[in-house]
Amino acid sequence: MLLRPLPCAPSSRVLRPPLPAPLRPSSGPLLPAPSRPAPSGAPGPARSLLAAGRGAGARRLLRPRRAPAGRVSCGLRGLHTEGDKAFAQFLTDEIKEEKKIQKHKSLPKVSGGWELEVHGTEARLVRKIAGEKITVTFNINNSIPPSAEDDTQEGQKPDEQEPELTSTPNFVVEVIKDDTKQTLVLDCHYPEDEIGHEGEEESDIFTIREVSFQPTGESDWKDTNYTLNTDSLDWALYDHLMDFLADRGVDNTFADELIELSTALEHQEYIKFLEDLKSFVKCQ
């Protein structure tokens, strides 16, 4: 006797087909990822915003419309998709726009006989005078205030030109005297409420946060050395420290020129980053 298969019980659930696997390098076949709908409205250009000046709102890159996913053969050099080609073209256009608005093709000089040394994102200004060596070191990474973008976009009118991005890095001043084993180290920064107040001659655009002595010639500073925080410092002592720096060329004029130098270096490194990113994603 042939056994009749039992009827399946009705199910209340509707089984959905499995989602396609994500794109990833593998030896097996690659399934194309589903294309997402493009965002509404044509996106503007990236950091430069195709405007005359570099606006604070131009820091983030806006996404171009996404092309349908697909593979582009590049031999054994790695996976390259249609999205990679669109990304590379976007970066090409962005680099052109950034170079158009680049103020300084070469880094500006700081007056006062300072010699400039640049190592990637770190810069060092060195000056020797009357048996002393003064060194100012700063790094452009994270030197643009993050709050500038949101503050300008909220209250800005459509026809107003956005303010330029300005790099205001913390900097360290080291003063070394001949025939001494100690280096006077002053950690300085730009307070946000003082930047841009050019008409106030009596106001310093930078401040000293900490002061300490470190062994001369040591690459690593000792945390066990006493560090003076200026928050609770007597104003007379603080003023003498500021005058001490001014006598060695670290004054408001120097601080203004350091901002210009740092901003130019930051923009230069940003363009180089875009070029490196383009080379990374571009199909060679």
Side-chain angles (χ1 to χ4, degrees), residues 186-198:
L186 302 99
D187 185 3
C188 306
H189 79 128
Y190 293 93
E192 294 183 8
D193 57 347
E194 295 293 339
I195 299 173
H197 297 181
E198 299 179 356

Side-chain angles (χ1 to χ4, degrees), residues 246-261:
D247 291 339
R248 284 150 182 80
V250 182
D251 52 11
N252 277 351
T253 300
F254 173 87
D256 277 330
E257 294 180 352
L258 189 146
I259 290 177
E260 184 179 4
L261 170 62

Side-chain angles (χ1 to χ4, degrees), residues 6-248:
L6 296 177
C8 296
S11 175
S12 60
R13 295 184 300 169
V14 178
L15 299 180
R16 290 181 289 180
L19 295 176
L23 285 175
R24 64 178 64 184
S26 64
S27 58
L30 296 174
L31 298 179
S35 59
R36 299 182 182 178
S40 60
R47 167 163 156 158
S48 61
L49 296 183
L50 293 177
R54 295 170 69 219
R59 166 56 70 179
R60 64 179 186 275
L61 295 174
L62 303 181
R63 296 181 181 177
R65 293 183 180 274
R66 292 191 176 184
R71 286 200 300 172
V72 178
S73 175
C74 283
L76 300 177
R77 293 181 180 272
L79 174 66
H80 294 277
T81 68
E82 293 292 341
D84 291 343
K85 290 178 61 178
F87 191 10
Q89 182 58 49
F90 170 77
L91 290 171
T92 299
D93 297 338
E94 178 67 11
I95 292 169
K96 290 180 181 179
E97 294 303 324
E98 289 295 327
K99 288 184 176 181
K100 285 181 182 179
I101 62 175
Q102 189 176 15
K103 287 186 175 181
H104 301 281
K105 303 304 179 182
S106 59
L107 295 178
K109 295 183 178 180
V110 177
S111 61
W114 295 90
E115 297 181 1
L116 175 63
E117 303 172 4
V118 178
H119 304 280
T121 61
E122 184 177 275
R124 179 176 300 171
L125 292 164
V126 181
R127 182 189 188 198
K128 295 181 180 179
I129 180 173
E132 292 185 1
K133 179 181 178 181
I134 301 97
T135 303
V136 179
T137 307
F138 65 92
N139 196 307
I140 62 168
N141 284 335
N142 303 316
S143 62
I144 296 180
S147 59
E149 178 179 341
D150 298 334
D151 294 342
T152 55
Q153 284 186 342
E154 290 181 0
Q156 184 179 10
K157 297 180 181 179
D159 56 344
E160 289 182 352
Q161 182 178 346
E162 295 189 2
E164 296 179 358
L165 293 176
T166 302
S167 171
T168 54
N170 300 336
F171 60 94
V172 175
V173 182
E174 300 174 61
V175 181
I176 303 175
K177 291 181 178 289
D178 292 344
D179 301 328
T180 59
K181 298 181 180 180
Q182 287 185 318
T183 299
L184 181 63
V185 180
L186 302 99
D187 185 3
C188 306
H189 79 128
Y190 293 93
E192 294 183 8
D193 57 347
E194 295 293 339
I195 299 173
H197 297 181
E198 299 179 356
E200 300 179 6
E201 297 181 357
E202 296 182 358
S203 178
D204 295 310
I205 66 174
F206 73 97
T207 61
I208 303 172
R209 291 193 299 188
E210 293 180 346
V211 185
S212 66
F213 279 107
Q214 297 295 339
T216 300
E218 294 288 340
S219 57
D220 296 329
W221 290 344
K222 296 181 179 180
D223 294 335
T224 55
N225 286 12
Y226 178 76
T227 299
L228 175 65
N229 191 304
T230 60
D231 289 341
S232 57
L233 191 64
D234 179 81
W235 277 108
L237 177 55
Y238 180 84
D239 288 342
H240 280 296
L241 287 172
M242 293 294 291
D243 291 340
F244 177 85
L245 289 180
D247 291 339
R248 284 150 182 80

